[in-house]
Amino acid sequence: QKEVEQNSGPLSVPEGAIASLNCTYSDRVSQSFFWYRQYSGKSPELIMSIYSNGDKEDGRFTAQLNKASQYVSLLIRDSQPSDSATYLCAVNMGAYSGAGSYQLTFGKGTKLSVIP
Amino acid sequence: DVKVTQSSRYLVKRTGEKVFLECVQDMDHENMFWYRQDPGLGLRLIYFSYDVKMKEKGDIPEGYSVSREKKERFSLILESASTNQTSMYLCASRGHQSHEQFFGPGTRLTVL
């Protein structure tokens, strides 16, 4: 069973702090990793993609990937109340052929609350 | 910008009714997906399509069917709606070269 695991939270951080969201995955051959943000009652919105080991920065967001540890994380610097949402980790866990290559496996999400 | 639209934001149907949920994308994407999202269960893939008239079952296809007659449109059909199909239904699309999926706004379906 291919799995993506996230701490469900809620994770509460004060405004201006760094929020750290973590995700582990079970399939060692996974190549593509994504973070989605989902506000209550809304659909998921893609905020970060990462494909190589290391860090990728986009504004206040940094994604970190460690394939050896099968671990991907999202850091949000200078957290704002508007960052309060559920963050979904998604992984492409299929091989590069067959039906599995089209799919993403999603974690159940971590709920983040940024306290003013 | 990728634009994925869904036919309804909210829908209320009766048990036994046939329900059509439509999804349209404007980015010429080859691949389209239908998920349902329930509290505590996360996103679960119902069906996906990698080309016109092609479909593949996801993790929970029972009670659903799909249709893809045109590249931009992917329909989810509940042949005989049941109360356990009350859920948020999300459509997504992606291009051939990338695994990034882009979601529509979702349809919250209630079956009474």
Side-chain angles (χ1 to χ4, degrees):
Chain A
Q1 182 77 8
K2 296 179 178 178
E3 294 182 338
V4 175
E5 299 285 346
Q6 295 182 253
N7 189 324
S8 62
L11 173 67
S12 294
V13 299
E15 183 174 356
I18 296 175
S20 178
L21 304 162
N22 304 314
C23 172
T24 58
Y25 58 95
S26 62
D27 190 350
R28 198 167 276 281
V29 303
S30 300
Q31 297 291 326
S32 308
F33 307 86
F34 308 94
W35 284 100
Y36 287 80
R37 178 177 61 200
Q38 186 174 24
Y39 292 114
S40 181
K42 303 294 186 182
S43 62
E45 174 193 10
L46 180 66
I47 56 172
M48 289 289 284
S49 307
I50 187 166
Y51 304 93
S52 305
N53 276 331
D55 295 0
K56 179 183 177 183
E57 188 174 315
D58 183 0
R60 294 187 296 112
F61 297 99
T62 299
Q64 299 176 316
L65 175 60
N66 183 326
K67 289 185 180 180
S69 300
Q70 295 175 231
Y71 177 94
V72 58
S73 65
L74 180 70
L75 301 179
I76 307 174
R77 290 183 300 282
D78 187 25
S79 295
Q80 300 298 308
S82 58
D83 295 325
S84 297
T86 296
Y87 289 81
L88 305 176
C89 174
V91 179
N92 174 252
M93 301 178 87
Y96 280 107
S97 62
S101 65
Y102 295 94
Q103 300 179 40
L104 292 181
T105 301
F106 288 82
K108 293 181 180 178
T110 298
K111 186 171 184 177
L112 172 67
S113 292
V114 180
I115 312 301
Chain B
D1 275 355
V2 175
K3 183 89 172 186
V4 181
T5 58
Q6 295 184 229
S7 49
S8 306
R9 290 300 311 275
Y10 300 94
L11 207 53
V12 180
K13 294 293 181 180
R14 297 241 175 240
T15 301
E17 280 193 82
K18 191 169 186 175
V19 182
F20 293 88
L21 302 181
E22 283 217 311
C23 176
V24 178
Q25 51 92 5
D26 68 355
M27 288 303 293
D28 202 35
H29 281 172
E30 289 81 5
N31 308 299
M32 298 185 74
F33 305 82
W34 275 106
Y35 297 88
R36 63 178 285 178
Q37 187 175 34
D38 302 285
L41 297 177
L43 276 165
R44 292 181 291 168
L45 181 64
I46 304 171
Y47 267 97
F48 70 98
S49 169
Y50 54 89
D51 203 349
V52 176
K53 296 192 185 295
M54 306 304 289
K55 62 184 179 184
E56 288 279 348
K57 293 180 180 179
D59 299 319
I60 52 162
E62 297 78 19
Y64 303 94
S65 62
V66 291
S67 173
R68 189 146 181 225
E69 296 296 318
K70 293 186 177 181
K71 190 175 186 180
E72 67 271 19
R73 190 179 299 268
F74 191 34
S75 300
L76 179 69
I77 303 150
L78 288 65
E79 294 290 341
S80 178
S82 63
T83 54
N84 63 11
Q85 293 178 310
T86 292
S87 187
M88 169 73 102
Y89 288 88
L90 291 159
C91 175
S93 75
R94 58 156 268 202
H96 182 66
Q97 298 296 328
S98 169
H99 290 294
E100 295 177 342
Q101 291 186 20
F102 299 92
F103 285 86
T107 296
R108 186 164 293 282
L109 172 67
T110 302
V111 183
L112 301 175

